[in-house]
Amino acid sequence: MNPSPLQWVGDGSVAVFRALYLGDMLCAVPALRALRAALPRARIVLVGLPWAAQFARRYRAYIDDFVAFPGHPDLPEQPVLPYAQEEFYSHMRAQGFALALQMHGSGEISNGIVGAFGARVQAGYGMVGNSLCGSVHTLPYPRHGPEPLRLLRLVRWLGAEIASCRMEFPLMPEDWDELARTGAARGLGAGSYVCVHAGARTRDKCWPPARFAEVADRLAFDHGLKVVLTGSASEADLADAVAAGMSAPAINATVPMSVGAMAALMRGARLLICNDTGVSHIAAGLGLKSVVIFSKADIGRWAPLNRRLHRCIRDPEGRRSHLVLAQARVLLAGAGDAGALRHRA
């Protein structure tokens, strides 16, 4: 029987390709943690979208280095940088990677990208599958199941032991320092507020501001909680619309700040109400209770794993605010798992 690919990497270098945005990257953290545990002496290099340099710094316990991916014409996440292609692939081949791990998806496009890294062995999900011989190792891509577990299944197949599937979002001193400079948390005591995040990476994923306002008002009046409207500076208009629809006062925290500073702000909240977007996975990493509203995405794939802390509701038409409010109240009351799955559909 051939050894698994991870058994002979040793202190060599491993390239991990996952060129995606925040939520997708956070779903990969349990797999990166397992990979590091299996390869404590290896140099692990993340290859991702340029923004993910900050992701690599935050998870430096698992990632040693970062290389920005210049795009591909068949991948939608970023514009292609044609002038950077040759330099990028030359740089990757010069690294002499022992293993190139494709963690980007099903492999139709990404396996070709990873194959051009010139690693001694390539591994990842693919359409052929079940090969553990030669220099290319592929496992059939699962069409169902939570994203973190799909990625854990891959690294386990390659030889890693899986100790935990927990999410994590480590906060750094600079996150707290930046939050203090913004003044967004001034006067907020831990546990005294709820965060309402009305934005998402694309506007077609957003629940109507009027529905967020309705739920926020009830939480403010019935539970005595302050309402903090979070989001990027580009989402200030959505926060303004939520605030305009509320009777209770709201704190608009959609000021220029990093994801880390926003996470530090959320750390003191009792609850997060949000769309299906990256902040739902930040909440999972922080252990912050949340109600996540889905419109188009697959709940089975993208819902947080912990059903005790996180409740997901599908509401593409913006008509189920009563369910969102009901689940928020259950979480605030500290109830257990009863009914969690019942309200997902």
Side-chain angles (χ1 to χ4, degrees), residues 190-274:
S192 68
Y193 58 99
V194 57
C195 287
V196 174
H197 194 97
R201 193 170 66 84
T202 59
R203 291 292 174 102
D204 61 350
K205 295 174 66 175
C206 294
W207 208 41
R211 300 287 77 76
F212 278 113
E214 178 184 346
V215 171
D217 258 348
R218 293 269 52 90
L219 296 178
F221 288 125
D222 298 347
H223 296 268
L225 292 169
K226 296 178 181 178
V227 175
V228 178
L229 305 176
T230 59
S232 67
S234 65
E235 295 167 337
D237 61 317
L238 288 172
D240 288 341
V242 174
M246 292 177 60
S247 299
I251 299 168
N252 191 334
T254 55
V255 298
M257 71 171 75
S258 68
V259 169
M262 184 173 65
L265 175 61
M266 291 180 173
R267 184 67 181 83
R270 283 186 62 190
L271 180 70
L272 169 69
I273 311 290
C274 66

Coordinates of all heavy atoms in Angstrom, one line a residue, residues 190-274:
A190 N -20.1 44.9 27.4 CA -20.3 43.5 26.9 C -21.6 42.9 27.3 O -22.1 43.0 28.4 CB -19.1 42.7 27.5
G191 N -22.3 42.4 26.3 CA -23.6 41.8 26.5 C -24.8 42.7 26.5 O -25.9 42.3 26.7
S192 N -24.5 44.0 26.2 CA -25.6 45.0 26.3 C -26.2 45.3 24.9 O -27.1 46.1 24.9 CB -25.1 46.3 26.9 OG -24.1 46.9 26.0
Y193 N -25.7 44.7 23.9 CA -26.1 45.1 22.6 C -26.2 43.9 21.6 O -25.7 42.8 21.9 CB -25.2 46.1 21.9 CG -23.7 45.7 21.8 CD1 -23.2 45.3 20.6 CD2 -22.9 45.8 22.9 CE1 -21.9 44.9 20.5 CE2 -21.5 45.5 22.8 CZ -21.0 45.0 21.6 OH -19.7 44.7 21.5
V194 N -27.0 44.1 20.6 CA -27.1 43.1 19.5 C -26.6 43.8 18.2 O -26.8 44.9 18.0 CB -28.6 42.7 19.3 CG1 -29.5 43.9 19.0 CG2 -28.8 41.7 18.1
C195 N -25.8 43.0 17.4 CA -25.3 43.5 16.1 C -26.3 43.1 15.0 O -26.7 41.9 15.0 CB -23.9 42.9 15.9 SG -22.6 43.7 16.9
V196 N -26.6 44.0 14.2 CA -27.4 43.8 13.0 C -26.6 44.1 11.8 O -26.2 45.3 11.6 CB -28.7 44.6 13.1 CG1 -29.5 44.5 11.8 CG2 -29.6 44.2 14.3
H197 N -26.4 43.1 10.9 CA -25.5 43.3 9.8 C -26.4 43.1 8.5 O -26.7 42.0 8.1 CB -24.4 42.2 9.8 CG -23.3 42.5 8.9 ND1 -22.1 43.1 9.2 CD2 -23.2 42.2 7.5 CE1 -21.3 43.2 8.2 NE2 -21.9 42.7 7.1
A198 N -26.8 44.2 7.9 CA -27.7 44.2 6.8 C -27.1 44.0 5.4 O -27.8 43.8 4.4 CB -28.5 45.5 6.8
G199 N -25.8 44.0 5.3 CA -25.1 43.9 4.0 C -24.6 42.5 3.7 O -24.8 41.5 4.5
A200 N -24.1 42.3 2.5 CA -23.5 41.1 2.1 C -22.6 41.4 0.9 O -22.7 42.6 0.4 CB -24.6 40.1 1.6
R201 N -21.8 40.5 0.4 CA -20.9 40.8 -0.6 C -21.6 41.2 -1.9 O -21.2 42.0 -2.7 CB -20.0 39.6 -0.9 CG -18.8 40.0 -1.8 CD -17.7 38.8 -1.8 NE -18.3 37.6 -2.5 CZ -18.2 37.5 -3.8 NH1 -17.8 38.4 -4.6 NH2 -18.7 36.3 -4.3
T202 N -22.8 40.6 -2.2 CA -23.6 41.0 -3.3 C -25.0 41.4 -2.7 O -25.5 40.8 -1.8 CB -23.8 39.9 -4.3 OG1 -24.4 38.7 -3.7 CG2 -22.4 39.6 -4.9
R203 N -25.6 42.5 -3.3 CA -26.8 43.0 -2.7 C -28.0 42.1 -2.9 O -29.0 42.1 -2.2 CB -27.1 44.4 -3.4 CG -26.2 45.5 -3.0 CD -26.3 45.8 -1.5 NE -25.3 46.8 -1.0 CZ -25.6 48.1 -0.8 NH1 -26.8 48.6 -1.1 NH2 -24.6 48.9 -0.3
D204 N -27.9 41.1 -3.9 CA -29.0 40.2 -4.1 C -29.2 39.2 -3.0 O -30.1 38.4 -3.0 CB -29.0 39.6 -5.5 CG -27.7 38.7 -5.6 OD1 -26.8 38.8 -4.8 OD2 -27.6 38.0 -6.6
K205 N -28.2 39.2 -2.1 CA -28.3 38.2 -0.9 C -28.9 38.9 0.3 O -29.1 38.3 1.3 CB -26.9 37.7 -0.6 CG -26.3 36.8 -1.6 CD -24.9 36.5 -1.3 CE -24.8 35.6 -0.1 NZ -23.4 35.1 0.2
C206 N -29.2 40.2 0.2 CA -29.6 41.0 1.4 C -31.1 40.9 1.7 O -31.9 41.1 0.8 CB -29.2 42.5 1.2 SG -27.4 42.7 1.1
W207 N -31.4 40.6 2.9 CA -32.8 40.7 3.4 C -33.2 42.2 3.4 O -32.3 43.1 3.6 CB -32.8 40.2 4.9 CG -34.0 39.6 5.4 CD1 -34.9 38.8 4.7 CD2 -34.5 39.7 6.7 NE1 -35.9 38.4 5.5 CE2 -35.7 38.9 6.8 CE3 -34.1 40.4 7.9 CZ2 -36.5 38.8 7.9 CZ3 -34.9 40.3 9.0 CH2 -36.0 39.5 9.1
P208 N -34.5 42.5 3.2 CA -34.9 43.9 3.2 C -34.6 44.7 4.4 O -34.8 44.2 5.6 CB -36.4 43.8 3.0 CG -36.6 42.5 2.4 CD -35.6 41.6 3.0
P209 N -34.0 45.9 4.3 CA -33.8 46.7 5.5 C -35.0 46.9 6.4 O -34.8 46.9 7.7 CB -33.3 48.1 4.9 CG -32.8 47.7 3.6 CD -33.6 46.6 3.1
A210 N -36.2 46.9 5.9 CA -37.4 47.1 6.7 C -37.6 45.9 7.6 O -38.0 46.1 8.8 CB -38.6 47.3 5.8
R211 N -37.2 44.7 7.2 CA -37.3 43.5 8.0 C -36.3 43.5 9.1 O -36.6 43.2 10.3 CB -37.2 42.3 7.2 CG -38.2 42.1 6.0 CD -39.6 41.8 6.6 NE -40.3 42.9 7.1 CZ -40.9 43.9 6.4 NH1 -40.8 43.8 5.1 NH2 -41.5 44.9 7.0
F212 N -35.1 43.9 8.8 CA -34.0 44.1 9.8 C -34.5 45.1 10.9 O -34.3 44.9 12.1 CB -32.7 44.5 9.2 CG -31.9 43.4 8.7 CD1 -31.6 43.4 7.3 CD2 -31.3 42.5 9.5 CE1 -30.9 42.3 6.8 CE2 -30.5 41.4 9.0 CZ -30.3 41.4 7.6
A213 N -35.1 46.2 10.4 CA -35.5 47.2 11.4 C -36.6 46.7 12.3 O -36.6 47.0 13.5 CB -36.1 48.4 10.5
E214 N -37.5 45.9 11.7 CA -38.6 45.4 12.5 C -38.1 44.5 13.6 O -38.5 44.6 14.8 CB -39.5 44.6 11.6 CG -40.7 43.9 12.2 CD -41.5 43.0 11.2 OE1 -41.3 43.2 10.0 OE2 -42.3 42.2 11.7
V215 N -37.2 43.6 13.3 CA -36.6 42.7 14.3 C -35.8 43.4 15.3 O -35.9 43.2 16.5 CB -35.8 41.6 13.6 CG1 -35.0 40.8 14.6 CG2 -36.7 40.7 12.7
A216 N -35.0 44.4 14.8 CA -34.1 45.2 15.7 C -35.0 46.0 16.7 O -34.6 46.0 17.9 CB -33.2 46.1 14.9
D217 N -36.0 46.5 16.3 CA -36.9 47.3 17.2 C -37.4 46.4 18.3 O -37.5 46.8 19.5 CB -38.1 47.9 16.4 CG -37.9 49.4 16.1 OD1 -37.0 50.0 16.7 OD2 -38.7 49.9 15.3
R218 N -37.9 45.2 18.0 CA -38.5 44.3 19.0 C -37.4 43.9 20.0 O -37.7 43.8 21.2 CB -39.1 43.1 18.3 CG -40.3 43.4 17.5 CD -41.6 43.3 18.3 NE -41.6 44.1 19.5 CZ -42.0 45.3 19.7 NH1 -42.4 46.0 18.7 NH2 -42.1 45.9 20.9
L219 N -36.2 43.6 19.5 CA -35.1 43.2 20.4 C -34.7 44.4 21.3 O -34.4 44.2 22.5 CB -33.9 42.8 19.6 CG -34.1 41.5 18.8 CD1 -32.8 41.1 18.0 CD2 -34.5 40.3 19.7
A220 N -34.8 45.6 20.8 CA -34.5 46.8 21.6 C -35.5 47.0 22.7 O -35.2 47.2 23.9 CB -34.3 48.0 20.7
F221 N -36.8 47.0 22.3 CA -37.9 47.3 23.2 C -38.2 46.2 24.2 O -38.4 46.4 25.4 CB -39.2 47.7 22.4 CG -39.1 49.0 21.7 CD1 -39.3 49.1 20.4 CD2 -38.7 50.2 22.4 CE1 -39.2 50.4 19.7 CE2 -38.6 51.4 21.8 CZ -38.9 51.5 20.4
D222 N -38.2 45.0 23.7 CA -38.6 43.8 24.5 C -37.5 43.3 25.4 O -37.7 42.7 26.4 CB -39.2 42.7 23.7 CG -40.4 43.1 22.9 OD1 -41.0 44.2 23.2 OD2 -40.8 42.4 22.0
H223 N -36.2 43.5 24.9 CA -35.1 42.8 25.7 C -34.1 43.9 26.2 O -33.1 43.5 26.9 CB -34.3 41.9 24.8 CG -35.2 40.7 24.3 ND1 -35.2 39.5 25.0 CD2 -36.0 40.5 23.3 CE1 -36.0 38.7 24.4 NE2 -36.5 39.3 23.4
G224 N -34.4 45.2 26.0 CA -33.6 46.2 26.5 C -32.2 46.3 26.0 O -31.2 46.7 26.6
L225 N -32.0 45.8 24.7 CA -30.7 45.8 24.1 C -30.5 47.0 23.2 O -31.4 47.4 22.5 CB -30.5 44.5 23.2 CG -30.5 43.2 24.0 CD1 -30.6 42.0 23.0 CD2 -29.2 43.0 24.8
K226 N -29.2 47.5 23.2 CA -28.9 48.5 22.2 C -28.7 47.8 20.9 O -28.3 46.6 20.8 CB -27.6 49.2 22.7 CG -27.7 50.0 23.9 CD -26.4 50.6 24.3 CE -26.5 51.4 25.6 NZ -25.2 52.0 26.0
V227 N -28.9 48.5 19.8 CA -28.8 48.0 18.5 C -27.6 48.6 17.8 O -27.5 49.9 17.7 CB -30.0 48.2 17.6 CG1 -29.8 47.8 16.2 CG2 -31.2 47.5 18.3
V228 N -26.6 47.8 17.4 CA -25.4 48.3 16.7 C -25.5 47.8 15.2 O -25.6 46.5 15.0 CB -24.1 47.8 17.3 CG1 -22.9 48.3 16.6 CG2 -24.1 48.3 18.8
L229 N -25.5 48.7 14.3 CA -25.6 48.3 12.9 C -24.2 48.2 12.3 O -23.4 49.2 12.3 CB -26.4 49.4 12.1 CG -27.8 49.7 12.7 CD1 -28.4 50.8 11.9 CD2 -28.6 48.4 12.6
T230 N -23.8 47.0 11.9 CA -22.4 46.8 11.5 C -22.4 46.6 10.0 O -23.4 46.4 9.3 CB -21.8 45.5 12.1 OG1 -22.6 44.4 11.8 CG2 -21.7 45.7 13.6
G231 N -21.2 46.7 9.4 CA -21.0 46.5 8.0 C -19.8 47.3 7.5 O -19.2 48.1 8.3
S232 N -19.4 47.2 6.3 CA -18.3 47.9 5.7 C -18.8 49.4 5.4 O -20.0 49.6 5.4 CB -17.9 47.3 4.4 OG -18.9 47.4 3.4
A233 N -17.9 50.3 5.2 CA -18.3 51.6 4.9 C -19.1 51.7 3.6 O -20.0 52.6 3.5 CB -17.0 52.5 4.7
S234 N -19.0 50.8 2.7 CA -19.8 50.8 1.4 C -21.2 50.3 1.7 O -22.0 50.4 0.8 CB -19.1 49.9 0.4 OG -19.1 48.5 0.8
E235 N -21.4 49.8 2.9 CA -22.8 49.3 3.2 C -23.5 50.3 4.2 O -24.6 50.0 4.7 CB -22.7 48.0 3.9 CG -22.2 46.9 3.0 CD -21.8 45.6 3.7 OE1 -21.5 45.6 4.9 OE2 -21.8 44.6 3.0
A236 N -23.0 51.5 4.3 CA -23.6 52.5 5.2 C -25.0 52.9 4.7 O -25.8 53.2 5.6 CB -22.7 53.8 5.2
D237 N -25.3 52.8 3.4 CA -26.6 53.1 3.0 C -27.7 52.1 3.5 O -28.8 52.5 3.8 CB -26.7 53.2 1.5 CG -26.3 51.9 0.8 OD1 -25.3 51.3 1.2 OD2 -27.0 51.5 -0.2
L238 N -27.2 50.8 3.6 CA -28.1 49.8 4.1 C -28.4 50.0 5.6 O -29.5 49.9 6.1 CB -27.5 48.4 3.9 CG -27.5 47.9 2.4 CD1 -26.8 46.6 2.3 CD2 -29.0 47.7 1.9
A239 N -27.3 50.3 6.3 CA -27.5 50.6 7.7 C -28.4 51.9 8.0 O -29.2 51.9 8.9 CB -26.1 50.8 8.4
D240 N -28.2 52.9 7.1 CA -29.0 54.1 7.2 C -30.5 53.7 7.0 O -31.4 54.2 7.7 CB -28.6 55.1 6.2 CG -27.3 55.8 6.5 OD1 -26.9 55.7 7.7 OD2 -26.7 56.4 5.6
A241 N -30.7 52.8 6.0 CA -32.1 52.4 5.8 C -32.7 51.6 6.9 O -33.9 51.8 7.3 CB -32.2 51.6 4.5
V242 N -31.9 50.8 7.6 CA -32.4 50.1 8.8 C -32.7 51.1 9.9 O -33.8 51.0 10.5 CB -31.4 49.0 9.2 CG1 -31.8 48.4 10.5 CG2 -31.2 48.0 8.2
A243 N -31.8 52.0 10.1 CA -32.0 53.0 11.2 C -33.2 53.8 10.9 O -34.0 54.2 11.9 CB -30.8 53.9 11.3
A244 N -33.4 54.2 9.7 CA -34.6 55.0 9.3 C -35.9 54.3 9.6 O -36.9 55.0 9.8 CB -34.5 55.5 7.9
G245 N -35.9 53.0 9.5 CA -37.1 52.2 9.7 C -37.4 51.8 11.1 O -38.4 51.2 11.5
M246 N -36.5 52.2 12.0 CA -36.6 51.8 13.4 C -37.2 53.0 14.3 O -37.0 54.1 14.0 CB -35.2 51.5 14.0 CG -34.6 50.2 13.5 SD -32.9 49.9 14.2 CE -33.3 49.8 15.9
S247 N -37.9 52.6 15.3 CA -38.4 53.6 16.3 C -37.3 53.7 17.4 O -37.1 54.8 18.0 CB -39.7 53.1 16.9 OG -40.7 53.0 15.9
A248 N -36.6 52.6 17.7 CA -35.6 52.7 18.8 C -34.3 53.3 18.2 O -34.1 53.2 16.9 CB -35.3 51.3 19.3
P249 N -33.5 53.9 19.0 CA -32.2 54.4 18.5 C -31.3 53.3 18.1 O -31.4 52.2 18.6 CB -31.7 55.3 19.6 CG -32.3 54.6 20.8 CD -33.7 54.2 20.4
A250 N -30.4 53.6 17.1 CA -29.4 52.6 16.7 C -28.1 53.3 16.5 O -28.0 54.5 16.2 CB -29.9 52.0 15.3
I251 N -27.0 52.5 16.8 CA -25.7 53.0 16.6 C -25.2 52.5 15.3 O -25.1 51.3 15.0 CB -24.8 52.5 17.7 CG1 -25.3 53.0 19.1 CG2 -23.3 52.9 17.5 CD1 -24.6 52.3 20.3
N252 N -24.9 53.4 14.4 CA -24.4 53.0 13.0 C -22.9 52.9 13.1 O -22.1 53.9 13.2 CB -24.8 54.1 12.0 CG -24.5 53.6 10.6 OD1 -23.7 52.8 10.3 ND2 -25.3 54.2 9.6
A253 N -22.4 51.7 13.0 CA -21.0 51.4 13.1 C -20.4 51.0 11.7 O -19.3 50.4 11.6 CB -20.7 50.2 14.1
T254 N -21.0 51.5 10.6 CA -20.5 51.2 9.3 C -19.5 52.3 8.9 O -19.6 53.0 8.0 CB -21.6 51.1 8.3 OG1 -22.4 52.4 8.3 CG2 -22.5 49.9 8.5
V255 N -18.5 52.4 9.8 CA -17.4 53.4 9.5 C -16.2 52.6 9.0 O -16.2 51.4 9.1 CB -17.0 54.1 10.9 CG1 -18.2 54.9 11.4 CG2 -16.5 53.1 11.9
P256 N -15.3 53.3 8.3 CA -14.1 52.5 7.8 C -13.4 51.8 8.9 O -12.9 52.4 9.9 CB -13.2 53.6 7.2 CG -14.2 54.7 6.9 CD -15.2 54.7 8.0
M257 N -13.4 50.5 8.9 CA -12.6 49.6 9.8 C -12.4 48.3 9.2 O -13.1 47.9 8.2 CB -13.3 49.5 11.1 CG -14.6 48.6 11.1 SD -15.3 48.2 12.8 CE -16.0 49.8 13.2
S258 N -11.4 47.6 9.6 CA -11.0 46.3 9.1 C -12.0 45.2 9.6 O -12.8 45.4 10.5 CB -9.6 45.9 9.5 OG -9.6 45.6 10.9
V259 N -11.9 44.1 8.9 CA -12.7 42.9 9.4 C -12.4 42.6 10.8 O -13.3 42.2 11.6 CB -12.5 41.7 8.4 CG1 -13.1 40.5 9.0 CG2 -13.1 42.0 7.1
G260 N -11.1 42.6 11.2 CA -10.7 42.3 12.5 C -11.3 43.2 13.6 O -11.8 42.8 14.6
A261 N -11.3 44.5 13.3 CA -11.9 45.5 14.2 C -13.4 45.3 14.3 O -14.0 45.4 15.4 CB -11.6 46.9 13.8
M262 N -14.1 44.9 13.2 CA -15.5 44.7 13.3 C -15.8 43.4 14.1 O -16.7 43.3 14.9 CB -16.1 44.5 11.9 CG -17.6 44.3 11.8 SD -18.3 44.3 10.2 CE -17.5 42.9 9.5
A263 N -14.9 42.4 14.0 CA -15.1 41.2 14.8 C -14.9 41.5 16.2 O -15.6 40.9 17.1 CB -14.1 40.1 14.3
A264 N -14.0 42.4 16.6 CA -13.8 42.8 18.0 C -15.0 43.4 18.5 O -15.4 43.2 19.7 CB -12.6 43.7 18.1
L265 N -15.7 44.2 17.7 CA -16.9 44.9 18.1 C -18.0 43.8 18.3 O -18.8 43.8 19.3 CB -17.4 45.8 17.0 CG -18.8 46.5 17.2 CD1 -18.8 47.3 18.4 CD2 -19.1 47.4 15.9
M266 N -18.1 42.8 17.4 CA -19.1 41.8 17.6 C -18.8 40.9 18.8 O -19.8 40.3 19.3 CB -19.1 40.9 16.3 CG -19.7 41.6 15.1 SD -19.6 40.5 13.6 CE -20.5 41.6 12.5
R267 N -17.6 40.8 19.2 CA -17.2 39.9 20.3 C -18.0 40.3 21.6 O -18.2 39.4 22.4 CB -15.7 40.0 20.6 CG -15.2 39.1 21.6 CD -15.3 37.7 21.2 NE -14.8 36.7 22.2 CZ -15.5 36.3 23.2 NH1 -16.8 36.7 23.4 NH2 -15.1 35.5 24.1
G268 N -18.3 41.5 21.8 CA -19.0 41.9 23.0 C -20.6 41.8 22.9 O -21.3 42.1 23.8
A269 N -21.1 41.5 21.7 CA -22.5 41.4 21.5 C -23.1 40.2 22.1 O -22.4 39.1 22.3 CB -22.8 41.5 20.0
R270 N -24.4 40.2 22.3 CA -25.1 39.0 22.8 C -25.7 38.2 21.6 O -25.9 37.0 21.8 CB -26.3 39.4 23.7 CG -25.9 39.8 25.1 CD -27.2 40.0 26.0 NE -28.0 38.8 26.1 CZ -29.2 38.9 26.7 NH1 -29.7 40.0 27.1 NH2 -29.9 37.7 26.8
L271 N -25.8 38.9 20.5 CA -26.4 38.2 19.3 C -26.1 38.9 18.1 O -25.9 40.2 18.1 CB -28.0 38.2 19.5 CG -28.8 37.5 18.5 CD1 -28.6 36.0 18.5 CD2 -30.3 37.9 18.7
L272 N -26.0 38.2 17.0 CA -25.9 38.8 15.6 C -27.1 38.4 14.8 O -27.4 37.2 14.7 CB -24.6 38.3 15.0 CG -24.4 38.6 13.5 CD1 -24.2 40.1 13.3 CD2 -23.2 37.8 12.9
I273 N -27.6 39.3 14.1 CA -28.7 39.1 13.0 C -28.0 39.5 11.7 O -27.6 40.6 11.6 CB -30.0 39.9 13.3 CG1 -30.5 39.8 14.7 CG2 -31.0 39.5 12.3 CD1 -31.0 38.4 15.1
C274 N -28.0 38.6 10.7 CA -27.2 38.9 9.5 C -27.7 38.1 8.3 O -28.5 37.1 8.5 CB -25.7 38.6 9.7 SG -25.3 36.8 9.9

